[in-house]
Amino acid sequence: MAHLAAIDPETCLSQRLHDIECPALLSVSSLAFDPDERKIFFTTSNNDLRDLSVYDLATGKSTELLKRFGAGDLAFHRQSRSLWAVRHANGVSSVIEMVPPYRQFVEHASFPYGVDLFDLEVSPDGATLCAMAADSSGRQKLVRLQIEALQKGDATMETLYDFEFSSAAAFRFSPNGRLLYGTSYLTGASNIVRFDLATRALDVVTNAETGLFWPQALADGARQERHEKLTA
């Protein structure tokens, strides 16, 4: 059965945490992680109206927060401990925000019919929200929105990079907030690309034939520190 899993990046050993009822076809569930409280937000009933739950790594217990949540593409705002998501209703995509205890949400902005946002990511400083935006023509763009403006209903999107019709996804910030790592089919297969926010340059990092997905940048030295702990 589909489930939440913890995978050690050094040993590749996997620990089963919690089952996911009604997983999505490829992405299984929408996830967001609170690194301070050590909790994982996740969605179930992913082929229906979606429910929102949270899993506590300390206790191993799962708690259902919202039924018929109707939203996905979760992103956690560490400074405010708010949870952001994209909600779909009547063919319209909206950006919503939830604050503890995450039992209700506030809809901040909706987009024109045919425009959708996905793969939300909050910047390390908590000021901006990056995402992929797609329209009915199939064109996809990496965009940035100002969180303070969003909370006032201003959904102005700044285009960072236009991928045109080369599907892109899963952009994540580097720990210092200067780079975004994601994937794109620019090379014909899904490969890792890096976008520099200062220079606006996009570089293709890998050239795999079979595809790479969902990159996650680690802090400088994190891999070496973990290796030293394992060998001590």
Side-chain angles (χ1 to χ4, degrees):
M1 186 173 182
H3 58 277
L4 293 176
I7 303 174
D8 188 315
E10 295 292 344
T11 65
C12 292
L13 294 177
S14 175
Q15 177 187 358
R16 190 187 191 102
L17 299 179
H18 188 74
D19 290 343
I20 300 290
E21 296 180 6
C22 193
L25 181 61
L26 297 176
S27 58
V28 182
S29 173
S30 183
L31 301 177
F33 182 55
D34 178 349
D36 300 309
E37 295 290 329
R38 304 285 294 169
K39 293 180 179 180
I40 305 170
F41 298 92
F42 65 98
T43 56
T44 58
S45 300
N46 289 280
N47 294 315
D48 195 2
L49 289 178
R50 281 184 170 166
D51 303 328
L52 178 66
S53 296
V54 62
Y55 178 85
D56 191 323
L57 285 168
T59 64
K61 294 182 179 180
S62 172
T63 302
E64 187 174 78
L65 299 173
L66 280 172
K67 293 286 290 183
R68 301 172 69 85
F69 177 50
D73 296 288
L74 305 178
F76 187 74
H77 191 299
R78 191 170 185 176
Q79 287 79 358
S80 66
R81 299 196 61 240
S82 59
L83 190 64
W84 292 74
V86 177
R87 190 169 191 268
H88 300 97
N90 300 318
V92 174
S93 297
S94 304
V95 175
I96 64 172
E97 180 186 11
M98 290 159 286
V99 297
Y102 312 106
R103 298 291 183 175
Q104 57 186 2
F105 61 83
V106 176
E107 183 178 301
H108 287 310
S110 297
F111 300 95
Y113 183 82
V115 175
D116 189 25
L117 248 61
F118 58 96
D119 289 347
L120 301 186
E121 171 75 343
V122 178
S123 62
D125 63 5
T128 61
L129 190 70
C130 284
M132 289 302 304
D135 60 33
S136 55
S137 72
R139 199 178 194 101
Q140 297 188 19
K141 300 176 181 179
L142 176 63
V143 300
R144 177 167 59 183
L145 302 92
Q146 300 299 318
I147 286 181
E148 186 176 347
L150 260 178
Q151 291 171 327
K152 298 177 181 177
D154 181 358
T156 301
M157 291 188 290
E158 175 193 2
T159 298
L160 298 177
Y161 192 86
D162 189 341
F163 285 91
E164 298 182 350
F165 301 102
S166 297
S167 295
F171 276 84
R172 295 294 178 261
F173 279 98
S174 62
N176 61 19
R178 299 173 185 172
L179 303 169
L180 282 162
Y181 289 90
T183 63
S184 174
Y185 283 80
L186 286 168
T187 63
S190 180
N191 271 287
I192 309 299
V193 296
R194 178 181 59 229
F195 181 79
D196 190 313
L197 287 162
T199 65
R200 300 297 181 101
L202 184 83
D203 297 309
V204 179
V205 179
T206 65
N207 190 25
E209 294 181 352
T210 55
L212 296 169
F213 305 88
W214 293 100
Q216 183 67 52
L218 299 179
D220 290 343
R223 182 179 177 87
Q224 180 64 28
E225 288 174 7
R226 187 164 56 244
H227 176 73
E228 291 173 353
K229 288 178 181 179
L230 286 172
T231 55

